[in-house]
Amino acid sequence: MGFVSEFKEFISKGNVLDLAVGVIIGSAFGKIVTSLTDDIIMPVLSVFTSGINFNEKFFTLDGKHYDTLKAAQDAKAATIAYGNFINAVIYFLIIAFVIFWVVKGANSIKKKPVEVAAVPATPPPPTTDQQLLMEIRDALRTGRA
């Protein structure tokens, strides 16, 4: 029974549940960002790049020419699909930008802690040695030594 109760305690901890919720929301958020990228941003980018489709940017290592990436892959040619890498970088930058704004918005919504004015602490009274040294200092100043 120790293992089952230990597992039940582990599962019921807040961190595990928070993580599970985060993964589910992250998955749904990923679909939103994918749609934003594929359906809105990439068409706009293709206007600025004269209709270049990054997915079809590749070169083969065997030196032969193929019209499409799929044709090269079907021919089992070794390809470097750098267009897919460019797309992945664009996706990453978009996700990072959106998450930045989400976190920034969430932080602005959070209540800021009320700052308590710091009361200066009173210094501790001087020790007997310090009092004696102050008396000697004062005596030397006045010339009563």
Side-chain angles (χ1 to χ4, degrees):
M1 273 318 255
F3 176 77
V4 173
S5 62
E6 188 177 338
F7 180 73
K8 184 178 176 183
E9 179 183 338
F10 169 76
I11 283 296
S12 65
K13 284 186 179 176
N15 294 341
V16 174
L17 296 176
D18 291 344
L19 179 62
V21 169
V23 168
I24 292 168
I25 290 175
S27 174
F29 186 71
K31 291 178 183 178
I32 292 170
V33 172
T34 299
S35 176
L36 172 70
T37 305
D38 290 343
D39 302 331
I40 296 172
I41 293 175
M42 292 309 256
V44 172
L45 277 177
S46 70
V47 168
F48 290 114
T49 59
S50 303
I52 294 174
N53 183 0
F54 290 112
N55 288 329
E56 287 298 320
K57 293 296 178 187
F58 70 98
F59 62 88
T60 59
L61 299 177
D62 64 3
K64 296 179 184 174
H65 175 71
Y66 299 93
D67 291 331
T68 65
L69 177 61
K70 179 154 177 39
Q73 289 172 339
D74 288 345
K76 304 231 187 280
T79 59
I80 296 181
Y82 64 90
N84 289 336
F85 177 74
I86 292 171
N87 274 347
V89 169
I90 291 171
Y91 277 96
F92 171 77
L93 292 174
I94 292 168
I95 289 170
F97 184 73
V98 170
I99 288 175
F100 168 76
W101 282 106
V102 167
V103 169
K104 186 173 175 125
N107 286 340
S108 68
I109 292 172
K110 285 182 183 177
K111 288 185 177 179
K112 299 208 178 351
V114 178
E115 291 186 29
V116 178
V119 177
T122 58
T127 63
T128 55
D129 291 343
Q130 291 172 337
Q131 285 178 350
L132 181 60
L133 287 171
M134 286 188 288
E135 288 175 12
I136 294 171
R137 178 198 64 202
D138 294 341
L140 286 172
R141 281 186 185 162
T142 60
R144 292 186 298 143

